[in-house]
Structures are given as structure tokens and as C-alpha cells.
């Protein structure tokens, strides 16, 4: 699925059985009243029905920050999010003379708040309207590509109409994979300022070493403030702007939480696959993850080997290498976790039981032919999975070839009305494309790119005939020798290595590009028809899945209902709520992790060398032990981070963590390593979320890098 | 201290205050009646006074196995020890056709028991006699070197007399650093056979990765049997020999232990430094460990760099490199641990308090001048510590230079009556020297040795003038250029690289060696007077410490007595007992380790690749879950290893772990990483010992690699 621009989603109109529920669940706000009983049983003291309304607290205080989350925490527009979410803002305000990344930043009053980078945005969801009928009207009766296009066109029209209102950013989201569609309307705040950030060595203590790890000791928070124009409307930065007044803000709790306490969290989880079919689980575990890791490891080796021989190439590919390593680590962790949870067998048994149950029902069993058709469409997509993986890497892991392909595609899309262009190639995207073309200069080395292409295309050449693409065979040859000759020739003759040349071609039309005298643009022109055709095939398959998969979801929802369980839709970057409790972790045999860490652990980990180089003011304050008013009463130690079983995924960074009274006690910032596989399966034994304990934030603001005026505004004055 | 051959020791004649005692303590058996009250309070149900007698159970069942420990576990001489302790026996019986290391070994009856390597020995302590007066008679009134020599001569005479009895191996041990001396008499059993060994992937599951780690999942045990001649006396292997009947054997418990249960352990801990002075603690932490690690890391880099360029050099130095890495890891761990425990400050405060207390006492304060003199002798030794470290590495980390130096020293020592020769150069040692000279062939490369010497001697050349040695300066030159020229010349001209040449010189006399026409032997001849002189100085200092340090120990014992605490002597490879309980470990902030591991952890760790490649029969048995009669009742899982706070150090490998009734429940085999520093300081927060749970051993013998006849003999028949 590639619905990146349009956020698809679906609401659950049916009523759920109000029975006990596992802690698993990224609930749509509208679902919360229907699971009120388990929510209250878990310890929530508020009114579950009040949680359904996006325009009422606490949900009205939750904001989208880039691809992550934050929350309003004062009447005057203060926003609390993660240090790593606001990192770009801190970086934008840093230079060699004043390095806010290293030193942190404490505005001593409002006049010292620093403007964020101009493209930084806060979005507040103000509308979430069912539009299923409007989206599907034209699609009904169609199949494949036509179904896809009808949904796409209806969605784009709704978004365009919605965005006519000033300051609004809109999208269409599908929930339950094509069953329901919602129009998401978000107020977009463009003037955001930096108020308070701890130094990197607090905000990102442990960095990559501790990433995904528990126990954790990171002060991963930053305070921002949203501003609006004098008229109260969203505006670009201006000295004359004034703080935005949010409809509601969260109140910071006076007390902290400890093991077993109820907690809940709201945010924008990005993507999960929990309701995918058993066949897709098997594909992920048995083929996709191992195959991706193997291919990426080969690319890693190519880059590392090249870097050993060429210092400049090493620098140019450092970022790509880092990204490959991260992906290899994450994919490996996901694979390890899915195996540990026996996910394939568990999902297979569950699905088989669901289908057996379905076949015994009266009307419901009418869903079966559609389910079988969906399964067949999924299986059909797998026929070319090896090829598609390689073609994907060919475009994501090269610099110059990707530039050439993008230039050709842009010229092609420009031949259509803007509204009909492919996502990523509309007028609004062109600046991003240009910026990508410029970046190539710092990340490209012809010898390395040729070796990466050799690795990928050698694998391609070894694929069975059925997966071969005529245009690729013609362009690159069918033997290693032909491939080597082609690459040498093309890269020797292209001028695209020159930044001005690349940018110049952005202004050329399709005809000029089709007859370009550049060897790499000529190669891209030969490949383009194949890539467009493959894209068409994918969209046709996705159109069918969008049409057929709702039957699978409907069967699953009905099956769960008779089990007494509600079903939440897979995450898709829309606002969700999860609840659970502060929970220890038994990660392995005889290994237990307590749910709260303390400042003692900062000292234990500290080596004086990054990433374990706690700043002196922090170490001094710990040595003084001046914790009055902030200690955890149960352990008698100063909390830093805590662990819960809340259901989260990427995008939940910066999500506010609330106690049973709805008060703010923590800030979500990571998951544990054992939970990397939770995007596919929530295993209650291992799935944990990692939060900043707000007592730590308050203590830092009170005793270490004091900001008394800020604590006052946050409603928790210095002690 | 280099009392390797003679084991010095001292008994505690004074009575201890029978007050509460920390779990710390490697008690001499004779001390146990005096700490009977805390021992009973800790849970021991036997009679503490019975533990004092080496010739009564349970201590009469404990045996010394090489540098480690084991125990008799049947009337017919079965001995239980660690797989890693008996590894040489298993290796000796393995070949390409029948690899017992990989496959393990199960004798199906007594006729299938396999002879150990001929130099393998079991020793049973049968006498431990106070000989302080006899050792010190000649020494009294002397100082320095004369004191040293008098003690040395008296000890050697006692040993020689004792060993006149057939089958006995004797040694003199000092306890409390020269205060008391004991003659240790051990029956030496020479015919030992292999009865039962698990495969490597059980006995050493996790290998280096898990070494020093908890949680652990290793079946680190092996069963041997001792044989004697038809006359019941120790004998070399013969078919006609019969099983040895030990005076007593340990009984295996029917039940296991769990968290909080009393346990005790007996064995032969090698060496500890807990009663060293505060200045020695500071020297160890602030200089010796960091300096040793830095020097060894440089040698590691030299070998690794050489290995990258030369595959043969890589193989030849693999063992030396491994040993350097192990030492670097252990020293770093010790340093880390001593810092974590704040050992220097703790010891300094303790010593200062002791001295302040002492100065207020009547007669006891007369000890003060001797204590001050001991301190001065220790400080004097530090004046040349940088040089001594380098000279030590020069001899331990070279192959050919060491051979040359050893040949010269052997010729020198041969000029004396055998009884007066230096330890290691007596007639009994000559076969070992020859074997060392032969081994060089597989471990030497001239280019690498020159680079190692360059690294060490460059450091030497940079030392302050006061630490320079005239003979070394003359031999190697005073500048890098002179050094390089010398090494090139010497190594180009020497014939010692040839094994026959090295061995030929072993038969030459001192005169021949003094005038040898070999460049390296000539160099060694020039260095020898300096090394002998430095050795003399060391012995003089050690003689004074042997004379003076008892005053420090006496003051410490008296100071502890008024604190209500008994003092155990530092470990010196004599038989000791410790007691404590099965104990969890909180190793770091929020990280807790349970005290029992289970078979589930074997599966969790298993990757199928060594060292985590559990054998199929084990994995199958775990999958079957056929644990009846062996499960831990509290957790309901099958135990593998357990953790206690028993006080152990190197040499305690294979020590029997007993429950409150004196029954065998475990087999000690390792410590946790946080306890590496326990040789200097016992920190009850971190010091743990790791044991095989005998329920795991019994289950393996019953269900996985069955040996019902053996279980019958062990008194715990198959279920």
C-alpha cells in the first residue's frame, strides 16, 4: 500500500460487545464509548463517552507534529513533544557560535522564543467526517484500476474542497482497508517557536546504543509554542503574531505513576498490519523480511568496502549506510520478534478458525467469495515479489539513476492536469523534487553507484524468466558482461553528475527528455514505459484489494464480536487512543526489567563519552540529590523514564501519557526492542512503550536548567 | 607475590567473636566452629564444629582437580566436577573419528570408562598441619633477602620430607601473609577415568559470549572416577586397578533450592587481595589495571595489524591474541567493578579508621612501627612499577627472547644444588621447560616478535632515568634507531628459531651459554645479570613484607574483632568454605536477574550456530516437556543454573554446592561479570556465583542422554 498522501481510514459504526478487552488496541476515539466497561475496569476515572469527541478535551489538546505527536499544555499555546521530534527546530537555530543541540535552550521569557524552520507545522484535528458514500459512489460497480482511480479522484476532490478554507490541511483516510472513508480536517499552525530544550546529552542520552532499549534514561522532551496572526488565524512567522489559544490543554499531574497504575495515550500511530491475512503474515516472515535483509546487507557490504578504499566515498555514503544499517536492524528485530511470538502459526490458526466459523453462518457466509478473491489478488501480487523488491531498491538506493527516472516521470506527469498527476509529482511537490536533485551532490560517487547497481541487477539477471521485464533486459543486457559494459558506458557519458545539469532538465518538457542527449536520461527513458506499466498493474491490484478486503475485515469484526472482542482498525496516522498500565517486562528467561528507571542509572551508564556524556550540571544535581518534591514515593528514587504496555507504533512519538484522571504524567518516545514486531502482532508478553516521566522534566526545569516562569505557566510551579 | 610452587598460608589461632557476619568470607575449615552462630542463623542445619575437620564429611569428600575443585559423589570413587575443568580429559579421548567434545560421552558400564591424560591428577587434602614455628625458626632476627631465603629453605625441607611418603604431594602455605604457615599434605590419585560428559553444546553452551554472564544456561559438569592399584594405593593407569574408595562422599539432594535458600560451598579458591593495604588498592585501580590494559592493547594492535597482512602470522599468534583479549577484558571488568564499588575510597576509610583505633590501644599500638615499615616497603616497590610491568611483558609476550632468557637462567640455576634452585628451574621442572621450547615453533614469527619488542622497548626508552637498567640500555640502545638496528641484527643472526637448536642449548652448561655464538643468546647473557639483580631486589622486598605484613593483619584482625567481625585469610588455593543463599541480582538500574534459569532460556538463546547450538536430543526433550520429578515447584519450570551470593574466585570451579542439610544441590562453575572485581573487594550488591542446578544434570542423565546405572550409583535413580 502506498497511500502516503491520502490518508485512508474507516470508522466503526457497529456496536461492540462491552466485554473485557486485552490491552491491545489503537482505538478510534469514536470507539471508546463502546469499550467503556473495560476502560473503566482498567482504572479510568473519567467519562469514556467524553473521549469520543475530537473537539473536547483531552483529544482536542493532541496535535500532530510532522509525522509524530504532541500536546497543548498551556492556555497560551505551549506544546510538549519529544526532543527528537523537535530536533529540526533545535538544529535550525544552532550554529557554530551557539550550538543549541549541545547546549540545550532555555528561553528566559516569551521574547526569547526562537522561530522554527519555516516548513515546520503543527496540525490540530478539527474534523473527522464519514465520507464513505461520497468516496465510493463512482467506484461501485468498477474493478481493478478503475476502482482505484475512482476512489483516488473522489478523495482528491474532497481534499481540494476542504482545503479551500484558509489554514486547513485535509486528507481522506480509509479505515478497515477500504470499508470506510473519513475526511480528516486539520488546522495547520505555521508559526511555531522553541521555548525549552535540554542538551542533546539529556534529550538523546544513549542515542543509537540505547535506541529501542530498556532500561532507558533519556530526557526526550522539548517545549514549543504555537503562534497565530493578530486575527487569531494561522500565519507565517511574524513579530506581530501572538500565542495561539488552544480550545483546551492538558494539565500536568502533581503526582507520578508507578507499577500497575492505569495510563492512557493519544496520538497519531503511523501504520500497522495486524489485520492482514495469514498469507501476508507468512510472506512477511518467510520471505519479505529475510529477503530484504539479505539484499540490504549486500548493499551495505558494497558501501563499506568502497569506503575502506576511498575516504571521500565513505563520507558521501555515510548517511545511506546508516539508513541501511538501521533498516537491517529493524527488519531483523521484526523478524526475530515475529518468530518469538510464533506469529505466522498464531495468525494462521486464528484465520482458519474465523473462516470455519464464517462458513457456518447464514448471511455472513456470503462474504466468502469476496474473501477468496482478495486472497487470490494477494497471492497474485507475490508472483513478482522478488523483482519488485529489486526494482524498489534500484530506485531508493541509487542517486543518479533515481534522479534520471524522476526527471522522466515528472515530464510525463506534467502532461496531465495537476489534479490528475501522480502523488509526489504535483505542482506542490516540485520544490521537494528540486531539493532532492540538489542533495545528490553530497551523496553520489559514480564508482559506488555502479557497484550498487551491479549488485542489484546481478540479482535481477538471476530471476526466473517470468519475472523479467523486456525493457530492463534490453537496457542492461542479460549477462554480467553486458551489464558491466552498459554501466561503464552510461556513467562515463552522463552529465547528470553535475548539479546545474540535473536542475536544468527539471524545466525541460517530455519531448526534450525523450530525445535527451544524456546517456542516463536515455536509459531512464527506455525504462520508464516498464515502470509505468508495473505501476499500473500495482494500482489495479490495489484497487481490487480496496474493493475486496472489506469483506475480510467484516468477517473478522463479526467473528471477534461473537468472541466478545472489539476490533480497532489498523493504524494509518489518524488520531488513536490506547490504554493500559505501567508494566514491568520479563524479556528473557531470568531477565526482568523494572518499569521505572532512576537518575542512578544515568550515573551508571555515564562514560563521559557520547552518547553517555551526561552534562556536568545534571551530574552535579544528581550528586547533590536535591530531589525534594519529585521523588517516587515507592522506590525513594528520582524517576527518569517509565514503561507501560500501551499500544503504540511509529508516529506515537511525543504522545501525551495520561493517568486515570486524565492528567499528563508522561511523554511517549520509544518502544523496546522486543516490540519492533508489534506493527504486525501485539504480543502482551513483550510489547511495551517507553515514556519520559514528567517528574524528571519538572525536576530538570526546576533544579538543573531552571525555567521558573515556564513551570508557572505549566501549572506546576518550582518547589 | 610469586609463591607459585610453595603454597603459603596461615591459620587463625585466635578465637573470633561469634557475632553476625556478612555473607563475605572464604573460611578456613578450622574457623567454622567459631562462626557457628551466624552459620546456624543463616540456615545451616548441621553441626558447625564438624566442618572443622578435613578428614570428616563433607570436607573429606572435596578434591582438588588441577587448579580447580571437585567432589566424591559415590562410594566407588565417582567424582563430579565441571566440564571445563575436565575438558583436557575429554579432549585427550577425542579424535576425528570419535569426537567426544562434540558428542559427549556416556559410559554404559564401568568397563567403558576412558583413561584420562597421564598427567591428570586428583588431590585429596589429608593433612593441614601448623608449621609456623618450624618455618620461622631460622628466619627470626633476619630481614629482607635473608628472611625470604630462610622461609624458602625451611618450606622446601618440610615439603621434601613430607613427599617421602608414597603417593603424597605436599606444599607449605602461608595464611595472613606470613603470619602463619601450614604444611598441606595431599593424596595424589593418578588413574582417573571419564564416565559421563555432555556434548560441548550443553557443557559449554554460550561459550565466550556467555562467559561471566548471567542468566546462564550451561550444563557445565562431567563425571570422572578415581582408581587405585590393587593394593588400594595411588597408581598409574592399569587395567588391573580398582575404583578408589573415598573416606566419604557427598549425597545428591532429592529436592532443589530456590530463592532465599541456604547454600554452602567448599573448594580451592586461588588468590584474593581483599586484605591488601589501601595504598595497594589505589595502586591497582589508579595505575596497575589501566597501565596493564593500555600496554596489552598496544600489543593486541600489533598482532592484529600483523595478522591482517600475513595469514600465517595470524594463525601463529591466535592463541596469544586470545589470551591478551581475555586479560584485557578481565582487567577492564575488574577496574569497572572496583570503581563501581568505590573500592579505593572504601578501603582507605576503613584503613584510616583501623589505624586511628590502633593508635588508641595499649599494647596493640606497638604494631604501628612494623605497619609503617610494611607500607614503606610497598611504596618502595612502586618506584619501579612501570619498568617492572614492561620487563614482565617482555618475558611473557615474546617467544624467542623468552626462550633465550630461560636457557640462560637454567644454565645459571644448574650451578646450584637442586634443592636451592629457583622455583621453576629444578630438575622436576626441566621437562616443562623443554615442552615450552618446543611449543615456540607453532607460535613464533620473527617480524611479529620484533614489532612486539619495539612496542614494549619504546615504552621502556621513554621511562624516567631512575627506572632505567644499564644492561638493557647497553643491549638495546637508547634511541628508537638504535633499538631498530639492534633487533634487526639480533633476529637476523640467531639460530634459535630452529627447534633443534633451542633444545640443543638445553643440554649446554653455563660456560657454553656465556660464550654462545648465537646473537640472541648473547643478548640474553647480557640481560641476565640485570634480571637476577632485579629478582634479588624483589625477593628482599618480599622477605620484608613477609616479616612486616603480619603486623598489619594482626591489627586488622583485632580491629574487626572489636567490630564483632571475624577475618578470613585471603585465598591461596587452600581448602575453604563459604556460605550464603540463593540470591537474585540487581545489576543495574531497573535491571533484575532472577536466581534460577530454566530450559525455556536454552530455546530462547538457541540460534543453531555455535556457541548457541543446543543438540537436537536436548531440544526435542525440551519440546516434549518430559520433566516429571525434576521441575522447580515454585516456578513450575525446569531449572538449569542458579545464582547465589557465595564467596568464590578462580579455583572454585567445580566446587560442590550444598544445601542446609549438607546435601549436594549444585556445582559451581562461574561468576557474574559484575563480580570480576571480587578478588579485591566483595561487594554484596554485585558478587554472585553461578552454579549448575543438579536437577538439570539428573534430568539430562535420565531423559536426554540416559545413564540409568550411573544415576543408580549416584543414589538418585531415574524416575
Amino acid at each position: 500500500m502506498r497511500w502516503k498522501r491520502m490518508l485512508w481510514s474507516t470508522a466503526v459504526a457497529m456496536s461492540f460487545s462491552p466485554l473485557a478487552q486485552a490491552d491491545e488496541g489503537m482505538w478510534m476515539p469514536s470507539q471508546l464509548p463502546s469499550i467503556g466497561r473495560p476502560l473503566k475496569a482498567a482504572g479510568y476515572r473519567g467519562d469514556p463517552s467524553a473521549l469520543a469527541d475530537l473537539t473536547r478535551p483531552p483529544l482536542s489538546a493532541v496535535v500532530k507534529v510532522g509525522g509524530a505527536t504532541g500536546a497543548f499544555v498551556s492556555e497560551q499555546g505551549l506544546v510538549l513533544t519529544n526532543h527528537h521530534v523537535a530536533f529540526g527546530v533545535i538544529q535550525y537555530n544552532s550554529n557554530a557560535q551557539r550550538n543549541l543541540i549541545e547546549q540545550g535552550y532555555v528561553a528566559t521569557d516569551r521574547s526569547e522564543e526562537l522561530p522554527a524552520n519555516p516548513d515546520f507545522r503543527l496540525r490540530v484535528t478539527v474534523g473527522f467526517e464519514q465520507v464513505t458514500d461520497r468516496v465510493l459512489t463512482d467506484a461501485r460497480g468498477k474493478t481493478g484500476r478503475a476502482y482505484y482511480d475512482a476512489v483516488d479522484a473522489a478523495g482528491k476532490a474532497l481534499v481540494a474542497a476542504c482545503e479551500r478554507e484558509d489554514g486547513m490541511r485535509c486528507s481522506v483516510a480509509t479505515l478497515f482497508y477500504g470499508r470506510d472513508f473519513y475526511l480528516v480536517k486539520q488546522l495547520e499552525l505555521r508559526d511555531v517557536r522553541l521555548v525549552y530544550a535540554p542538551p542533546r546529552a539529556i534529550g538523546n542520552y544513549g542515542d543509537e546504543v540505547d535506541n529501542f532499549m530498556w532500561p532507558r534514561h533519556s530526557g526526550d522532551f522539548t517545549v514549543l509554542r504555537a503562534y497565530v496572526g493578530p486575527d487569531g488565524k494561522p500565519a507565517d512567522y511574524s513579530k506581530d503574531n501572538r500565542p495561539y489559544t488552544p480550545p483546551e490543554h492538558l494539565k500536568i499531574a502533581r503526582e507520578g505513576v508507578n507499577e500497575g497504575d492505569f495510563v492512557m495515550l493519544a496520538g497519531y500511530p503511523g501504520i500497522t498490519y495486524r489485520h492482514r491475512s495469514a498469507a501476508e503474515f507468512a510472506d512477511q516472515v518467510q520471505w519479505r523480511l529475510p529477503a530484504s535483509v539479505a539484499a540490504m546487507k549486500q548493499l551495505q557490504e558494497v558501501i563499506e568496502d568502497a569506503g575502506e578504499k576511498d575516504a571521500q566515498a565513505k563520507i558521501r555514503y555515510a548517511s545511506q549506510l546508516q539508513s541501511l544499517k538501521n533498516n537491517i536492524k529493524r527488519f531483523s528485530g521484526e523478524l526475530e520478534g515475529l518468530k518469538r511470538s510464533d506469529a505466522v502459526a498464531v495468525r494462521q490458526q486464528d484465520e482458519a478458525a474465523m473462516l470455519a466459523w464464517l462458513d457456518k453462518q447464514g448471511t455472513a457466509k456470503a462474504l466468502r467469495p469476496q474473501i477468496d478473491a482478495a486472497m487470490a489478488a494477494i497471492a497474485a501480487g507475490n508472483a513478482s515479489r522478488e523483482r519488485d523488491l529489486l526494482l524498489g531498491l534500484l530506485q531508493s538506493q541509487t542517486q543518479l539513476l533515481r534522479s534520471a527516472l524522476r526527471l522522466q516521470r515528472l515530464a510525463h506527469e506534467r502532461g496531465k492536469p495537476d489534479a490528475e498527476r501522480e502523488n509526489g509529482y504535483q505542482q506542490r511537490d516540485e520544490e521537494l523534487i528540486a531539493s532532492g536533485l540538489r542533495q545528490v551532490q553530497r551523496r553520489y560517487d559514480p564508482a559506488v553507484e555502479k557497484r550498487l547497481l551491479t549488485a542489484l541487477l546481478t540479482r535481477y539477471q538471476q530471476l526466473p524468466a517470468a519475472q523479467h521485464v523486456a525493457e530492463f533486459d534490453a537496457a542492461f543486457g542479460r549477462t554480467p558482461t553486458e551489464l558491466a559494459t552498459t554501466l561503464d558506458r552510461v556513467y562515463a557519458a552522463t552529465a547528470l553528475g553535475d548539479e546545474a545539469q540535473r536542475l536544468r532538465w527539471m524545466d525541460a518538457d517530455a519531448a526534450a527528455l525523450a530525445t535527451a542527449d544524456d546517456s542516463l536520461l536515455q536509459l531512464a527513458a527506455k525504462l520508464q514505459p516498464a515502470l509505468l506499466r508495473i505501476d499500473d498493474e500495482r494500482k489495479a491490484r490495489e484497487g481490487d484489494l480496496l474493493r475486496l478486503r472489506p469483506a475480510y475485515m467484516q468477517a473478522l469484526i463479526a467473528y471477534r464480536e461473537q468472541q466478545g472482542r472489539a476490533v480497532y482498525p489498523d493504524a494509518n496516522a489518524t488520531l488513536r487512543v490506547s490504554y493500559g498500565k505501567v508494566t514491568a517486562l520479563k524479556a528473557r528467561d531470568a531477565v526482568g526489567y523494572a518499569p521505572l528507571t532512576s537518575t542512578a542509572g544515568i550515573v551508571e551508564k555515564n562514560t563521559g563519552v557520547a552518547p553517555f556524556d551526561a552534562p556536568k550540571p545534571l551530574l552535579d544535581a544528581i550528586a547533590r540529590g536535591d530531589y525534594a518534591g519529585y521523588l517516587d514515593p515507592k522506590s525513594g528514587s528520582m524517576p527518569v523514564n517509565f514503561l507501560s504496555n500501551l499500544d503504540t507504533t511509529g508516529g506515537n512519538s511525543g504522545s501525551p501519557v495520561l493517568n486515570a484522571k486524565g492528567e499528563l504524567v508522561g511523554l511517549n518516545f520509544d518502544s523496546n526492542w522486543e516490540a519492533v514486531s508489534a506493527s504486525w502482532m501485539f504480543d502482551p508478553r513483550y510489547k511495551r512503550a517507553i515514556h519520559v516521566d514528567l517528574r524528571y522534566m519538572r525536576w530538570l526545569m526546576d533544579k538543573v536548567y531552571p525555567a521558573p516562569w515556564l513551570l508557572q505557566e505549566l501549572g506546576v510551579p518550582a518547589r
Side-chain angles (χ1 to χ4, degrees), chain A:
Chain A
M1 299 283 283
R2 294 211 180 192
W3 309 95
K4 280 192 181 155
R5 251 333 118 151
M6 280 175 74
L7 298 167
W8 305 99
S9 40
T10 315
V12 176
M14 61 195 300
S15 66
F16 290 103
S17 171
L19 295 181
Q21 194 70 34
D23 293 315
E24 173 176 355
M26 297 175 174
W27 303 101
M28 295 172 60
S30 58
Q31 290 184 289
L32 292 170
S34 67
I35 57 161
R37 200 184 294 182
L39 186 57
K40 296 291 281 186
Y44 183 58
R45 296 203 217 152
D47 173 11
S49 66
L51 291 172
D53 190 345
L54 294 170
T55 64
R56 284 169 59 189
L59 293 184
S60 57
V62 180
V63 296
K64 197 155 199 280
V65 188
T69 306
F72 289 117
V73 286
S74 87
E75 271 176 19
Q76 287 129 3
L78 284 182
V79 169
L80 185 58
T81 188
N82 290 144
H83 184 268
H84 79 266
V85 171
F87 188 75
V89 179
I90 303 168
Q91 192 171 35
Y92 177 77
N93 282 288
S94 293
N95 53 44
Q97 285 71 50
R98 193 178 66 162
N99 188 338
L100 303 191
I101 297 170
E102 287 302 317
Q103 294 153 23
Y105 185 69
V106 183
T108 53
D109 59 35
R110 201 177 291 164
S111 71
E112 286 197 337
E113 296 173 357
L114 303 170
N117 36 316
D119 58 341
F120 192 80
R121 296 285 181 272
L122 294 183
R123 291 182 194 161
V124 188
T125 300
V126 293
F128 195 73
E129 185 190 354
Q130 257 272 26
V131 291
T132 311
D133 280 343
R134 278 189 275 171
V135 169
L136 294 184
T137 301
D138 283 353
R140 290 200 175 103
K142 298 193 169 88
T143 63
R145 178 64 196 261
Y147 192 92
Y148 180 97
D149 286 344
V151 168
D152 191 37
K156 280 174 174 160
L158 283 165
V159 166
C162 176
E163 288 190 351
R164 264 173 226 131
E165 188 178 339
D166 198 38
M168 290 298 165
R169 183 83 181 179
C170 304
S171 58
V172 169
T174 180
L175 297 186
F176 295 123
Y177 296 111
R179 206 189 77 142
D180 294 324
F181 294 84
Y182 275 75
L183 178 64
V184 183
K185 188 171 168 185
Q186 294 177 315
L187 178 75
E188 189 170 62
L189 298 164
R190 308 195 294 273
D191 181 0
V192 183
R193 303 189 195 172
L194 178 63
V195 182
Y196 189 103
R200 168 202 57 77
I202 290 177
N204 191 18
Y205 191 63
D207 195 24
E208 284 303 321
V209 181
D210 266 9
N211 193 17
F212 282 122
M213 290 297 148
W214 181 262
R216 195 65 159 278
H217 298 86
S218 172
D220 192 355
F221 70 91
T222 288
V223 183
L224 307 170
R225 191 190 302 275
Y227 280 77
V228 286
D231 59 355
K233 298 243 166 95
D236 290 331
Y237 170 77
S238 156
K239 271 199 310 182
D240 302 328
N241 287 350
R242 56 179 178 75
Y244 169 68
T245 306
E248 191 62 40
H249 68 274
L250 299 177
K251 313 227 170 0
I252 296 179
R254 297 272 161 159
E255 316 288 320
V257 286
N258 210 313
E259 185 159 12
D261 287 349
F262 173 91
V263 280
M264 64 190 295
L265 161 153
Y268 290 90
I271 186 160
T272 58
Y273 309 88
R274 301 216 185 122
H275 304 318
R276 293 294 181 100
S277 70
E280 287 168 298
F281 270 68
D283 176 59
Q284 182 76 0
V285 172
Q286 290 156 7
W287 181 78
R288 195 161 304 273
L289 290 171
S292 302
V293 166
M296 289 191 295
K297 275 193 175 163
Q298 195 185 358
L299 301 182
Q300 175 187 350
E301 279 160 25
V302 166
I303 294 177
E304 283 177 344
D305 187 65
E308 264 180 34
K309 289 161 189 150
D310 180 344
Q312 198 182 19
K314 185 170 183 172
I315 294 165
R316 290 197 170 158
Y317 283 82
S319 163
Q320 188 168 336
L321 179 62
Q322 188 56 41
S323 160
L324 277 169
K325 283 175 163 176
N326 281 347
N327 281 326
I328 291 167
K329 185 179 172 189
R330 285 198 58 159
F331 283 28
S332 303
E334 184 175 315
L335 185 58
E336 192 181 287
L338 290 173
K339 286 181 174 170
R340 184 169 47 223
S341 297
D342 205 10
V344 174
V346 169
R347 190 74 195 86
Q348 251 155 5
Q349 284 162 22
D350 184 43
E351 185 180 85
M354 173 187 89
L355 293 175
W357 171 84
L358 187 69
D359 290 343
K360 285 188 236 136
Q361 305 310 306
T363 51
K365 76 176 171 204
L367 294 168
R368 193 60 201 261
Q370 284 182 68
I371 292 174
D372 292 345
M375 301 290 200
I378 290 166
N382 282 352
S384 58
R385 62 187 184 183
E386 288 80 9
R387 178 200 73 189
D388 293 338
L389 173 66
L390 292 174
L391 296 193
L393 290 170
L394 213 61
Q395 291 169 78
S396 66
Q397 300 296 320
T398 59
Q399 299 294 334
L400 226 52
L401 176 59
R402 171 170 51 183
S403 300
L405 290 168
R406 208 171 265 185
L407 285 166
Q408 290 290 4
R409 181 69 182 257
L410 180 62
H412 171 81
E413 296 294 333
R414 277 178 174 163
K416 308 177 191 171
D418 190 58
E420 290 171 26
R421 287 197 210 168
E422 179 71 8
N423 285 327
Y425 293 94
Q426 292 180 285
Q427 277 168 21
R428 63 199 250 185
D429 304 313
E430 293 193 0
E431 182 41 42
L432 202 66
I433 295 174
S435 145
L437 292 173
R438 274 190 291 268
Q439 273 191 6
V440 166
Q441 217 56 30
R442 293 182 286 108
R443 301 175 171 220
Y444 168 72
D445 176 274
V448 180
E449 177 144 332
K450 280 197 286 181
R451 288 184 61 185
L452 291 170
L453 278 168
T454 303
L456 291 167
L457 289 165
T458 301
R459 281 173 177 260
Y460 167 82
Q461 289 184 337
Q462 291 160 357
L463 289 179
Q467 292 199 40
H468 273 258
V469 183
E471 292 89 340
F472 276 75
D473 291 350
F476 292 110
R478 306 200 60 152
T479 66
T481 314
E482 288 171 12
L483 173 59
T485 312
T486 306
L487 292 178
D488 285 344
R489 181 183 52 76
V490 169
Y491 278 83
T494 182
L496 287 191
D498 181 68
E499 180 175 327
Q501 287 292 321
R502 285 194 302 277
L503 291 170
R504 185 173 71 80
W505 284 107
M506 247 196 97
D507 300 325
D509 62 16
L513 276 155
T515 58
D517 57 357
D518 186 278
S519 56
L520 196 57
L521 284 173
Q522 286 167 4
L523 181 84
K526 283 188 213 161
L527 301 180
Q528 170 131 299
L531 293 173
L532 290 171
R533 189 174 67 243
I534 289 169
D535 217 34
D536 279 350
E537 289 163 5
R538 175 183 61 76
K539 284 178 182 169
R541 210 163 48 240
E542 287 184 5
D544 276 331
L545 281 176
L546 211 51
R547 179 173 59 87
L548 298 167
R549 212 192 273 266
Y552 184 93
M553 288 314 305
Q554 214 154 318
L556 185 68
I557 289 166
Y559 178 63
R560 290 277 183 268
E561 189 178 18
Q562 58 85 35
Q563 287 180 321
R565 292 169 59 192
V567 179
Y568 56 92
D570 259 320
N572 62 348
T574 56
L575 187 57
R576 302 294 180 92
V577 172
S578 75
Y579 68 92
K581 53 177 188 269
V582 180
T583 311
L585 172 64
K586 189 175 175 314
R588 297 186 305 283
D589 184 39
V591 179
Y593 295 118
L596 266 70
T597 60
S598 75
T599 46
I602 296 173
V603 178
E604 282 175 5
K605 285 181 177 174
N606 205 60
T607 60
V609 179
F612 296 108
D613 53 342
K616 190 166 183 307
L618 174 60
L619 293 175
D620 289 347
I622 293 172
R624 282 197 307 274
D626 182 10
Y627 297 131
Y630 298 104
L631 285 176
D632 175 56
K634 194 173 153 193
S635 62
S637 53
M638 178 66 219
V640 176
N641 293 155
F642 68 93
L643 197 65
S644 77
N645 64 353
L646 288 171
D647 195 355
T648 58
T649 193
N652 273 123
S653 280
S655 287
V657 181
L658 311 176
N659 64 14
K661 294 186 276 184
E663 300 164 338
L664 196 58
V665 290
L667 194 60
N668 183 63
F669 73 97
D670 202 5
S671 291
N672 52 317
W673 177 244
E674 295 79 9
V676 173
S677 55
S679 51
W680 286 79
M681 177 165 278
F682 184 103
D683 187 329
R685 295 172 297 174
Y686 303 118
K687 172 66 185 81
R688 298 291 180 273
I690 300 176
H691 318 297
V692 178
D693 193 310
L694 287 199
R695 287 172 287 190
Y696 182 53
M697 181 187 83
R698 290 167 57 199
W699 176 72
L700 289 171
M701 289 180 171
D702 184 353
K703 308 287 189 185
V704 188
Y705 299 95
W709 72 280
L710 191 58
L711 284 170
Q712 191 73 39
E713 185 178 338
L714 291 169
V716 281
R719 307 242 172 180

